[in-house]
């Protein structure tokens, strides 16, 4: 495929080496992953910090849930602000407040006043920098070739699961080897360092919101029926992830193998990473909508063998199967947002997608927790979430935007310093 502006020029190959060696790519990926590592570290750090000082596990769990909820619910607001004012003016103050509140917890102390601890955790969650949505907005300015963007987006999505393996392990190691205060301090430092790496990169510093397209269809509100249905479907995917974690804990209890509670999600995340690598290797046939439906179907089918309640070793192998298709579902979801959201508000739309998955994950965790004493029902919940997502997508099939093939994008003529950032694959 050649670039529209240079029909006689062959774009660089869409290989991992070519993409990662492209200017700014490795820096943006590494910075964003480092800055988002605290998302997996904070819950564990808070639990160990509170309980090591004699606090209750219930209070520690509430703090961890509060941080995640505040971070998720504030995503669309931060995305909207970023679309209006740019990345630096939003993420820079956000990360300073976030890291400052986490460090303030050390000063307050785990045995300090519960109201002060709760307030600091809540504010830290609200001001979590929106690095994931921001990175999605940067790729079109960094990689002009759709094939290369497909590779880097799949790598980005596939590596997310690894954050929730490395993050808790790192937090646990710091808390046990040194002290829980060290885990909180490292969490604050990593978030700050990763965000600084991203914000000081030229694509982030020079990024400006796209000028609104002319025309009534894209000049007004963000939400429409198609986007609402898409977000509802992806909430079902998130429900699957939340239920899976509780199912893994249930398997660990049933088979008296505590490591299963971590190994099963790790196997799933490994499958997700491998799926992203496979997906990015070639251009797949079909439109964005048909790819989303196909990958959601495969995601559901991947859960069906686990309904038979296999033994631990078999379950670990089978957990790879649905994981292979998670990255594909989320990546196709982001591509679908590109076709449905106004070009001047795609960062906000990405934030809504991230929030939808997060809310679904919290709901799946909560419901699975109430059914933890029913192993067969618990094992069916991940598949139920995937089935719900597929049903919603099937009903919304006719509304999910024009039948575009991957690599064909909307183009807006930006003025002034605006950069084209909405031509996503």
């Amino acid at each position: 495929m050649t670039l529209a502006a240079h029909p006689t020029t062959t774009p660089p190959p869409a290989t991992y080496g070519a993409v990662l060696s492209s200017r700014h790519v490795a820096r943006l990926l590494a910075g964003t992953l480092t800055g988002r590592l605290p998302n997996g570290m904070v819950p564990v750090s808070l639990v160990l910090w509170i309980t090591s000082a004699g606090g209750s596990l219930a209070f520690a769990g509430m703090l961890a849930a509060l941080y995640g909820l505040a971070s998720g619910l504030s995503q669309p607001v931060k995305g909207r602000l970023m679309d209006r004012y740019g990345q630096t003016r939003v993420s820079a103050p956000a990360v300073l407040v976030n890291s400052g509140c986490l460090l303030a917890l050390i000063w307050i102390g785990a045995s300090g006043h519960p109201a002060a601890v709760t307030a600091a955790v809540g504010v830290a969650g609200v001001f979590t920098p929106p690095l994931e949505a921001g990175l999605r907005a940067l790729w079109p300015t960094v990689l002009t070739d759709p094939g290369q963007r497909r590779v880097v987006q799949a790598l980005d999505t596939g590596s997310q699961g690894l954050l929730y393996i490395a993050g808790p392990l790192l937090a646990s190691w710091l808390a046990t080897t040194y002290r829980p205060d060290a885990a909180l301090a490292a969490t604050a430092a990593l978030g700050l360092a990763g965000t600084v790496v991203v914000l000081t990169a030229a694509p982030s510093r020079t990024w400006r919101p796209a000028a609104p397209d002319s025309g009534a269809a894209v000049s007004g509100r963000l939400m429409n029926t198609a986007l609402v249905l898409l977000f509802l479907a992806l909430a079902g995917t998130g429900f699957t992830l939340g239920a899976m974690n509780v199912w893994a804990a249930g398997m660990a209890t049933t088979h008296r193998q505590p490591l299963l509670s971590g190994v099963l999600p790790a196997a799933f995340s490994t499958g997700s990473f491998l799926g992203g690598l496979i997906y990015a290797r070639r251009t797949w046939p079909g439109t964005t909508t048909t790819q989303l439906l196909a990958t959601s179907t495969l995601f559901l089918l991947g859960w069906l063998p686990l309904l038979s309640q296999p033994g631990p070793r078999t379950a670990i192998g089978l957990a790879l199967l649905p994981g292979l298709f998670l990255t594909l579902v989320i990546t196709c979801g982001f591509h679908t947002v590109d076709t449905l959201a106004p070009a001047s508000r795609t960062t906000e739309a990405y934030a809504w997608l991230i929030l939808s998955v997060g809310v679904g994950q919290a709901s799946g965790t909560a419901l699975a927790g109430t059914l933890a004493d029913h192993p067969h029902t618990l094992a069916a919940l991940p598949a139920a979430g995937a089935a719900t997502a597929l049903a919603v997508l099937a009903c919304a099939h006719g509304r999910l935007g024009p039948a575009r093939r991957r690599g064909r994008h909307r183009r807006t003529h930006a003025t002034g310093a605006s950069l084209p950032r909405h031509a996503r694959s």
Side-chain angles (χ1 to χ4, degrees), residues 7-414:
T8 61
T9 302
T10 301
T15 63
Y16 300 121
V19 169
L20 291 174
S21 63
S22 297
R23 191 179 181 189
H24 303 302
V25 170
R27 175 175 179 169
L28 291 173
L29 273 176
T32 300
L33 292 175
T34 301
R36 292 173 54 209
L37 194 59
N39 293 344
M41 294 179 66
V42 167
V44 175
S45 298
L46 288 174
V47 169
L48 295 176
W49 183 65
I50 291 293
T51 55
S52 66
S56 69
L57 183 60
F59 180 55
M62 184 275 291
L63 291 177
L66 173 63
Y67 184 88
L69 186 63
S71 176
L73 291 178
S74 61
Q75 283 285 336
V77 176
K78 291 177 286 193
R80 179 68 181 276
L81 292 173
M82 191 176 285
D83 278 331
R84 285 190 176 185
Y85 303 112
Q87 298 198 354
T88 302
R89 294 174 66 182
V90 175
S91 290
V95 74
L96 290 175
V97 174
N98 175 269
S99 297
C101 286
L102 292 176
L103 292 175
L105 289 173
I106 301 175
W107 177 74
I108 295 171
S111 57
H113 198 285
V117 172
T118 302
V121 170
V123 173
V126 168
F127 284 89
T128 303
L131 295 177
E132 181 179 0
L135 183 62
R136 293 278 173 176
L138 290 179
W139 288 133
T141 69
V142 177
L143 296 170
T144 56
D145 177 54
Q148 290 195 331
R149 287 201 297 272
R150 183 180 66 253
V151 171
V152 79
Q153 288 170 346
L155 285 173
D156 178 22
T157 303
S159 60
Q160 291 181 33
L162 302 180
L163 294 176
Y164 294 94
I165 300 174
L169 289 175
L170 179 58
S172 299
W173 177 77
L174 288 170
T176 55
T177 304
Y178 299 98
R179 48 185 301 184
D181 285 354
L184 283 175
T187 300
L190 286 169
L192 180 61
T195 304
V196 168
V197 168
V198 172
L199 295 183
T200 54
S204 180
R205 286 189 287 105
T206 59
W207 183 87
R208 297 294 182 271
D213 293 345
S214 59
V218 293
S219 60
R221 60 190 176 89
L222 167 67
M223 287 298 178
N224 53 55
T225 303
L227 274 177
V228 170
L229 290 172
L230 174 65
F231 295 154
L232 181 61
L234 291 174
T237 303
F239 181 96
T240 295
L241 303 181
M244 175 200 64
N245 290 327
V246 181
W247 164 74
M251 286 283 289
T253 301
T254 299
H255 296 281
R256 297 181 180 180
Q257 297 183 24
L259 285 178
L260 281 177
S261 62
V263 172
L264 287 170
F268 178 86
S269 296
T270 301
S272 177
F273 183 71
L274 294 175
L277 295 180
I278 296 170
Y279 175 73
R281 288 291 298 174
R282 54 166 293 183
T283 300
W284 298 90
T287 66
T288 300
T289 302
T290 57
Q291 288 186 14
L292 181 58
L293 282 168
T295 54
S296 297
T297 301
L298 293 171
F299 185 60
L300 170 60
L301 293 176
W303 285 106
L304 297 184
L306 289 164
L307 296 178
S308 62
Q309 291 280 54
R313 292 185 179 180
T314 304
I316 292 171
L318 291 176
L320 287 166
L321 293 178
L324 287 171
F325 304 107
L326 174 66
T327 294
L328 282 63
V329 172
I330 301 299
T331 301
C332 290
F334 276 111
H335 291 322
T336 305
V337 166
D338 288 336
T339 68
L340 299 175
S344 59
R345 298 182 67 177
T346 47
T347 308
E348 180 185 357
Y350 294 154
W352 277 106
L353 187 155
I354 296 165
L355 173 60
S356 299
V357 175
V359 170
Q361 187 168 356
S363 301
T365 300
L367 180 59
T370 64
L371 299 172
D373 294 332
H374 302 81
H376 291 285
T377 302
L378 188 60
L381 285 180
T388 301
L390 179 60
V392 174
L393 289 174
C395 293
H397 179 271
R399 296 178 178 269
L400 296 180
R404 300 184 184 184
R405 289 192 177 273
R406 298 268 303 289
R408 300 184 62 183
H409 317 285
R410 298 172 298 160
R411 294 188 179 274
T412 300
H413 296 290

